[in-house]
């Protein structure tokens, strides 16, 4: 699990660095929003009792 | 170097193993999972190629994925943002798929294979395609044209390939980016004609022969093709960039008339206005694609100055376009990879790493016979376990005689011989064979055996020495294209009269020239058939029912025999002619229990 999390984090960093260095750096804010959404979804699936709070946020 | 190549998660997942510059095994996941165009992680294909090579994951120097998912993700985001707000539905659907799995491919591969993260590398989509043909064509230099729907960003790429003592490389010299794609326009028209995208394109090619290309000017207006091969797609007519299930807009229907309902019955004998129009649209998009590919290949010749051309990518499976390219693009030879679609990307990615990164030498190898095989002993044991009655012919001439006798008698044979083919074409290793002289053979095999549309043409397998007797090969023709059914040829009058089963309505046929080295058992059967009839030609089509992938194992072959109306099943040296009672129901369950 730890290894997978580390690899996912590595990939996320590669994605951000790749976009930042390329001609489409303006995509970064969208990547950030998506990342936060993904984390929220991950959080909801991991902890069921958090779901109602996340629901009100969205 | 020992390199495992993988393609997955879009369509046609596959695995290929390259050892010291030679492809030792390659297979598509669909052959094992029995799901046509299976896109799932190719666990069974990987298991097969590693077992075949006697290797385990730890022995591999590299595991290479055929494309770069992060660049693809970047393209998806850019495209959706440009099309916002129209694309919001597809955006949400795409992002949920990517954020939940596809983006974290490296972690997934490590988890599934148990390999080290350092072993994993990513190739580029079109580079993988290009390598699949350039490094198997054994040319010292060639222009390589890769055309498909879309890779990361590129839809069409021209490479300059060099493979000599001093230098081995594939250098991109021109690239056309998404959404201006020959493959996507062809796929959108495939959907318009009611066929499934990434599955029905070859049906459009077959249907085209029944129509007149009266809409080609309209198609050139909405997808302009310049002399240098640059395509400019008018996105008012297409929606493949904003929708995942609808690839054309109402504007296309306003231009060409109402689209055909998906998978609706298509009876060409009806000859009504709609049916004629659909045939004409098919003929028009086919002509448009031929002209577009021809322009790209001429540009490749101009940019690289090479004598040889290699073609890859899904569009390279268009055998009618390939004939025009071979005749009109100005190259001495044209090579097309047998698995030109995404499956071939697995093989190409592995070969690129082995040859260019690892410096492995150029090695002669088969491009076709790379899949699983069984020995006669194993087959006999399996057939006995199933309680089937069979004849075993140890002598190849006896076996060929038995096959030829059955065919002359009007029977249809299924032949399983040696390693399964790599790519979608059946080349005599997992094939249905029939007498091409029979007038009713096309309807019989299409409707009664394969249960598919009547208009679908069949290919002739021809002894290599007899190709010129039956087909118009042209002066100084390059014969490499015909060895794996990658180009059509015009049939001579004698062929049209004597073998109606394998000549399409436009007078052409997708010829497979058969030699003893690559396809020994099929060559034997052809000689035996020729000795009896004077015709060294057989109808050859893939061994599968509609919607199924081609058979792979002995069990698949027995299941096919049970479920179809095939008369004779030949598996290696064994011949099965009699069905048993259990074959009429729950065949799979019985076979798996056995």
């Amino acid at each position: 699990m730890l290894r997978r999390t580390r690899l996912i984090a590595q990939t996320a960093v590669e994605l951000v660095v790749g976009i930042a260095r390329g001609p489409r750096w303006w995509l970064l804010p969208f990547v950030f929003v998506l990342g936060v959404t993904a984390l929220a979804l991950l959080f909801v699936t991991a902890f069921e009792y958090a779901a109602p709070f996340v629901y009100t946020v969205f | 170097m020992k390199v495992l190549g993988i393609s997955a998660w879009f369509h046609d997942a596959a695995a290929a193993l390259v050892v010291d510059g030679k492809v030792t095994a390659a297979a598509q996941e669909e052959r094992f999972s029995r799901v046509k165009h299976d896109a799932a992680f190719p666990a069974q294909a990987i298991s097969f190629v590693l077992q075949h090579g006697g290797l385990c994951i730890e022995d591999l120097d590299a595991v290479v994925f055929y494309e770069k998912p992060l660049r693809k993700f970047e393209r998806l985001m850019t495209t959706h943002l440009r099309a916002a707000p129209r694309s919001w539905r597809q955006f949400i659907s795409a992002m949920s798929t990517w954020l939940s799995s596809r983006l974290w491919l490296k972690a997934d591969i490590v988890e599934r294979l148990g390999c080290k993260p350092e072993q994993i590398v990513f190739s580029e989509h079109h580079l993988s395609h290009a390598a699949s043909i350039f490094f198997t064509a054994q040319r010292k230099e060639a222009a390589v044209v890769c055309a498909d729907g879309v890779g990361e960003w590129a839809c069409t790429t021209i490479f300059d390939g060099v493979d000599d003592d001093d230098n081995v490389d594939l250098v991109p010299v021109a690239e056309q980016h998404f959404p201006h794609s020959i493959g996507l326009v062809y796929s959108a028209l495939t959907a318009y004609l009611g066929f499934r995208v990434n599955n029905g394109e070859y049906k459009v090619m077959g249907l085209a022969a029944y129509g007149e290309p009266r809409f080609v000017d309209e198609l050139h207006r909405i997808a302009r093709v310049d002399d240098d091969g640059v395509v400019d797609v008018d996105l008012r007519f297409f929606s493949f960039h904003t929708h995942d299930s609808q690839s054309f807009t109402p504007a296309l229907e306003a231009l060409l008339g109402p689209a055909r309902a998906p998978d609706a019955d298509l009876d060409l004998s009806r000859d009504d206005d709609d049916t004629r129009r659909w045939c004409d649209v098919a003929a028009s998009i086919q002509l448009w694609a031929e002209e577009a590919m021809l322009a790209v290949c001429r540009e490749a010749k101009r940019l690289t100055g090479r004598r040889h051309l290699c073609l890859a990518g899904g569009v390279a499976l268009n055998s009618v376009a390939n004939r025009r390219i071979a005749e009109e693009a100005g190259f001495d030879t044209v090579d097309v990879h047998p698995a030109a679609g995404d499956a071939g990307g697995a093989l190409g990615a592995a070969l690129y790493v082995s040859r260019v990164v690892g410096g492995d030498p150029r090695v002669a190898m088969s491009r076709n016979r790379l899949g699983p095989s069984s020995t006669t002993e194993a087959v006999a044991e399996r057939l006995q376990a199933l309680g089937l009655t069979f004849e075993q012919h140890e002598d190849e001439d006896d076996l060929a005689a038995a096959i030829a006798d059955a065919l002359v008698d009007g029977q249809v044979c299924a032949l399983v011989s040696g390693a399964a083919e790599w790519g979608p074409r059946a080349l005599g290793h997992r094939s249905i064979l029939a007498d091409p002289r029979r007038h009713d053979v096309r309807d019989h095999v299409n409707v009664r055996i394969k249960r598919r549309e009547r208009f679908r043409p069949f290919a002739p397998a021809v002894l290599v020495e007899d190709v010129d007797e039956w087909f118009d090969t042209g002066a100084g023709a390059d014969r490499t294209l015909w060895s794996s059914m990658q180009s059509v040829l015009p049939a001579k009058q004698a062929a049209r009269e004597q073998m109606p089963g394998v000549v399409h309505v436009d007078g052409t046929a997708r010829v497979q020239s058969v030699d003893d080295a690559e396809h020994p058992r099929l060559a034997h059967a052809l000689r035996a058939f020729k000795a009896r009839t004077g015709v060294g030609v057989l109808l050859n089509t893939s061994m599968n029912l509609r919607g199924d992938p081609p058979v792979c194992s002995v069990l698949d072959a027995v299941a096919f025999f049970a479920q179809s109306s095939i008369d004779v099943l030949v598996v290696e040296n064994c011949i099965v002619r009699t069905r048993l009672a259990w074959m009429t129901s729950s065949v799979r369950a019985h076979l798996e229990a056995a």
Side-chain angles (χ1 to χ4, degrees), chain A residues 10-24:
Chain A
Q10 259 178 22
T11 305
V13 171
E14 275 176 46
L15 176 70
V16 170
V17 170
I19 291 176
R21 286 183 180 165
R24 293 179 191 85

Side-chain angles (χ1 to χ4, degrees), chain A residues 3-4 7-8 10-12 14-15 19 24 26-27 30-31 34 38, chain B residues 70 73-74 77-78 81 95 99 103-104 107-108 110-111 115 117 153:
Chain A
R3 193 188 199 193
R4 183 177 169 81
L7 283 170
I8 286 176
Q10 259 178 22
T11 305
E14 275 176 46
L15 176 70
I19 291 176
R24 293 179 191 85
W26 47 268
L27 280 173
F30 300 103
V31 173
L34 280 173
Chain B
L70 300 188
F73 182 72
E74 185 190 306
M77 285 197 61
T78 310
L81 289 170
M95 287 306 123
L99 290 173
L103 203 51
W104 324 117
D108 256 10
V110 167
E111 208 167 80
C115 59
W153 274 99

Side-chain angles (χ1 to χ4, degrees), chain B residues 284-306:
Chain B
S284 306
I285 184 61
Q286 176 60 32
L287 183 61
W288 177 88
E290 288 168 27
E291 288 171 355
M293 281 303 286
L294 205 49
V296 173
C297 293
R298 283 181 176 140
E299 181 67 1
K301 176 77 183 171
R302 192 185 69 76
L303 290 173
T304 65
R306 303 296 186 189

